[in-house]
Amino acid sequence: MSDTTLGAAEASSRAAVTKRLRTTDILFKGLTRGAALTVLALLSGIILSLVIGSGLALRTFGFSFVTDEVWNPVTEKFGALAPIYGTLVTSTIAMVIAVPIGLMVAFFLTELCPKVLRRPIAIAIELLAGIPSIIYGIWGLFVFAPFLQKYIQPFLIDAFGDVPVLSSIFEGPPYGIGMLTAGLILAIMVLPFVTSISRDVFDAVPPVLKEAAYGVGCTTWEVFKHVVLPYTRVGVIGGCMLGLGRALGETMAVTFVIGNAHKVSASILAPGTTISATIANEFTEAVEDIYTSSLIALGLILFVITFIVLAIARYMLMRIQRRIG
Amino acid sequence: MAETRNNAIYTRRKRRNAIATGLAFAATGFGLGWLVLILGVLLYNGVGGLSLSVFTENTPPPGSDGGLLNAIIGSIVMTVLAVIIGTPIGLLAGTYMAEYGRHDKLTSIVRFINDILLSAPSIVVGLFVYEIVVGPMGHFSGWAGAVALAVIVIPVVVRTTEDMLTLVPDTLREAAASIGLPRAHMIMRIAYRAASAGIVTGILLAVARVSGETAPLLFTALNNQFFSWNMNAPMPSLPVVIFQFALSPYEEWQKLAWTGALLITITVLALSILARSLTARKS
């Protein structure tokens, strides 16, 4: 009889343990699910807060906010054309330089570099991405901009002074700071992004394909150009878009060297501004509601642009991942 | 005739290959050159100002000597808080994605959104936190700065946690399930332990990322010329002080900015190398 009571006691204590385990299980699952939903809430929160914050400016100026060049805190008239223009120009300069160079570095690392050096060089290039943007900024302002002002910009102005279209692109006194300087610094910052993703996808090309091309007598460059690159095109574009996303949103490095001038100039040597540089420079000084709201509206525009670019990047990278497996 | 033409084509192809190879070498040299140049300039300008007073004195008024103590402490305090706030959320979200919902729709949506947050412009995060924390509180504060940094920590931790938990072999999970261990316990006792090096790497990378961030702090934590533990008041941080000092006309301030830049870079590079070596040893 004592046996059966012991059994009952044990059974109930076991039931209690099982129940406790089950409760923690359910709790933990709920907790992790909640955290996953928090990530979604974060993005919705960002969009929502930007939309609400920019409401006043967008209602006041309407569509002319994106087409108007005037940015005048005194008369409380705000148009975002100059920052949008500056953002696009600096990012374009960055991509035009960083994409070919980044691809060539990836070509070097996957096809030409001796095995021993691959990892160290790849890490060194990736360290470029790890350097905080404020370091690029201070370096750009004190070292790079004076260098450009003294040597490169006078040369560009002289060289293209008589060429019809180029003369207006490289016009004006060599300030040192300006859109070209910002674009060049962005190029250095974007380079590691392009390189590291290209390298990953180049490495994933099935060796059989490359060997077949070598077998019919292709040179290393021909194998790269006609086999590796077409096979990985989606991934390479994805990597470039990821870099573009960084270039568009980069703040500190640009703020130091852009010159903060709300002007749309044809010359890339002229000082300008970008969306992020405008926000960084002016947000704490903005006292009036409409000023703050206009800056938040700039932030919204930036977020929408980068969101689209990054979404395309992720979609492309997902496609190449599926292909490579 | 045909042979000379073939020879011409052959030579041209070889020449093209040589040019492309040369360009690839040049491009790599170009990339490495910038790294050397930036680090070199940083060392050259920063080391001179490195002295004990940098760590023992507060940021000076214009035109006099001082250190970066308040900025360093401010940065550390806000970074630690950001990690304390951000890591649990990131860790749990990554856990859901790798353990509970590896194949469900929510996971793929969260993964997509998280990847976008990972590379979203950090200045936008600053605006967001300004709206939700600074606005309601009515003033800039160290808390707002910590929250802004936490928003940047979360996606980094989510990503590495998910990746590292996915690498844990399923046989470990099955073994745990076969002895009757509930899922939550399997995750906490087995999966986390197996993925611990990777998870720590993620946190280190997040700290590295956050310690150089300036944009989200500009209008959340703002700045403070004085030493302060008060999280309810504006708080100085190393990146913001560098920003302010570098753009100032005062030589002492610019010198301190270079020293601060050197400190941040050393910290960030050391953290990312440490993180790398942790995972390298594991694999």
Side-chain angles (χ1 to χ4, degrees):
Chain A
M1 190 184 152
S2 63
D3 267 339
T4 50
T5 44
L6 237 178
E10 185 164 328
S12 74
S13 83
R14 279 187 182 189
V17 170
T18 323
K19 197 174 162 217
R20 206 178 62 225
L21 288 178
R22 196 168 297 148
T23 331
T24 27
D25 208 22
I26 291 167
L27 267 177
F28 190 69
K29 184 175 180 180
L31 214 58
T32 57
R33 207 182 152 84
L37 291 170
T38 309
V39 176
L40 295 188
L42 217 52
L43 184 87
S44 333
I46 291 176
I47 295 173
L48 209 65
S49 73
L50 291 179
V51 169
I52 292 172
S54 62
L56 179 62
L58 294 180
R59 271 197 309 275
T60 314
F61 303 116
F63 190 68
S64 71
F65 184 71
V66 281
T67 54
D68 210 335
E69 195 188 330
V70 182
W71 182 273
N72 192 337
V74 182
T75 58
E76 301 201 338
K77 182 90 186 72
F78 298 100
L81 188 63
I84 294 174
Y85 173 77
T87 303
L88 297 180
V89 170
T90 49
S91 300
T92 310
I93 297 173
M95 296 316 284
V96 165
I97 296 167
V99 170
I101 296 181
L103 286 180
M104 286 314 261
V105 176
F107 170 53
F108 175 81
L109 285 172
T110 49
E111 307 291 337
L112 301 169
C113 185
K115 271 245 154 60
V116 228
L117 288 177
R118 267 181 208 187
R119 219 176 120 74
I121 293 181
I123 289 179
I125 296 281
E126 271 168 42
L127 284 185
L128 271 180
I131 296 177
S133 61
I134 186 145
I135 308 300
Y136 283 97
I138 185 171
W139 176 81
L141 178 68
F142 287 114
V143 183
F144 196 49
F147 170 77
L148 287 176
Q149 183 178 22
K150 206 163 170 196
Y151 300 103
I152 306 291
Q153 293 186 345
F155 167 76
L156 288 173
I157 294 167
D158 278 352
F160 298 111
D162 301 323
V163 189
V165 180
L166 292 177
S167 66
S168 55
I169 295 182
F170 298 105
E171 198 191 5
Y175 287 110
I177 53 175
M179 291 194 284
L180 176 68
T181 314
L184 289 175
I185 291 179
L186 285 179
I188 305 170
M189 300 178 76
V190 165
L191 179 72
F193 282 73
V194 178
T195 299
S196 102
I197 290 184
S198 312
R199 191 176 58 101
D200 286 351
V201 292
F202 291 167
D203 265 338
V205 176
V208 188
L209 284 181
K210 289 199 269 182
E211 283 157 14
Y214 280 122
V216 295
C218 286
T219 61
T220 318
W221 172 244
E222 284 163 350
V223 171
F224 178 70
K225 194 177 158 200
H226 299 296
V227 178
V228 176
L229 215 49
Y231 188 84
T232 54
R233 191 183 294 132
V234 189
V236 169
I237 296 174
C240 294
M241 297 293 262
L242 211 59
L244 177 62
R246 164 133 196 214
L248 289 168
E250 181 46 53
T251 309
M252 297 321 291
V254 173
T255 307
F256 272 94
V257 295
I258 191 79
N260 204 34
H262 282 273
K263 234 173 43 195
V264 175
S265 341
S267 169
I268 57 170
L269 301 183
T273 190
T274 66
I275 295 177
S276 47
T278 304
I279 301 173
N281 268 320
E282 301 179 22
F283 198 83
T284 43
E285 294 162 12
V287 206
E288 302 85 6
D289 284 345
I290 184 76
Y291 197 177
T292 310
S293 178
S294 298
L295 287 167
I296 294 176
L298 275 183
L300 178 65
I301 293 172
L302 176 66
F303 193 66
V304 170
I305 299 174
T306 44
F307 188 94
I308 294 169
V309 169
L310 293 173
I312 297 173
R314 287 299 162 193
Y315 173 71
M316 297 264 183
L317 292 174
M318 247 150 65
R319 262 178 56 188
I320 188 92
Q321 251 161 19
R322 221 171 286 148
R323 162 124 53 111
I324 293 169
Chain B
M1 184 67 193
E3 197 168 297
T4 50
R5 208 178 64 213
N6 274 346
N7 263 339
I9 294 174
Y10 182 61
T11 328
R12 199 171 65 220
R13 288 176 54 207
K14 263 178 72 174
R15 202 187 319 129
R16 274 205 191 139
N17 191 48
I19 292 171
T21 312
L23 283 177
F25 270 95
T28 311
F30 179 84
L32 294 179
W34 289 120
L35 184 70
V36 173
L37 204 60
I38 293 172
L39 294 182
V41 167
L42 208 54
L43 278 175
Y44 177 78
N45 285 303
V47 165
L50 219 52
S51 65
L52 199 63
S53 63
V54 170
F55 304 98
T56 55
E57 286 173 34
N58 288 332
T59 46
S64 55
D65 286 328
L68 294 165
L69 176 69
N70 53 341
I72 294 172
I73 296 294
S75 270
I76 293 176
V77 168
M78 284 190 287
T79 305
V80 167
L81 273 170
V83 170
I84 291 175
I85 301 169
T87 306
I89 299 175
L91 191 66
L92 288 171
T95 307
Y96 179 82
M97 293 159 75
E99 298 289 342
Y100 286 106
R102 195 178 284 193
H103 302 291
D104 68 6
K105 192 122 194 160
L106 176 64
T107 298
S108 46
I109 297 173
V110 171
R111 190 182 298 131
F112 186 74
I113 297 297
N114 190 66
D115 279 347
I116 286 182
L117 284 177
L118 202 57
S119 21
S122 56
I123 188 126
V124 171
V125 172
L127 288 176
F128 167 60
V129 174
Y130 177 86
E131 290 276 288
I132 62 158
V133 182
V134 180
M137 276 176 92
H139 56 86
F140 301 105
S141 67
W143 284 117
V147 170
L149 295 181
V151 173
I152 291 166
V153 165
I154 291 173
V156 182
V157 177
V158 170
R159 180 65 182 272
T160 41
T161 306
E162 194 208 351
D163 285 353
M164 293 304 156
L165 283 177
T166 316
L167 286 179
V168 174
D170 278 337
T171 42
L172 281 181
R173 297 194 177 88
E174 285 154 12
S178 73
I179 57 164
L181 207 58
R183 210 158 179 181
H185 293 258
M186 179 277 285
I187 293 168
M188 287 187 274
R189 303 265 169 87
I190 312 286
Y192 279 168
R193 215 167 277 183
S196 61
I199 292 170
V200 172
T201 302
I203 297 170
L204 287 178
L205 287 177
V207 174
R209 168 88 196 268
V210 156
S211 39
E213 280 291 353
T214 321
L217 294 175
L218 286 175
F219 29 83
T220 50
L222 202 67
N223 199 350
N224 191 340
Q225 288 296 349
F226 306 103
F227 189 92
S228 157
W229 289 108
N230 185 1
M231 292 294 291
N232 270 318
M235 204 166 213
S237 65
L238 212 39
V240 177
V241 166
I242 294 174
F243 179 52
Q244 190 198 343
F245 280 17
L247 287 174
S248 77
Y250 312 110
E251 205 176 304
E252 291 86 354
W253 276 17
Q254 289 182 358
K255 207 170 159 199
L256 274 174
W258 276 111
T259 308
L262 180 66
L263 288 179
I264 288 188
T265 311
I266 291 174
T267 313
V268 170
L269 293 188
L271 280 170
S272 37
I273 289 169
L274 184 68
R276 246 172 237 282
S277 65
L278 264 180
T279 37
R281 199 160 15 129
K282 192 81 184 169
S283 62

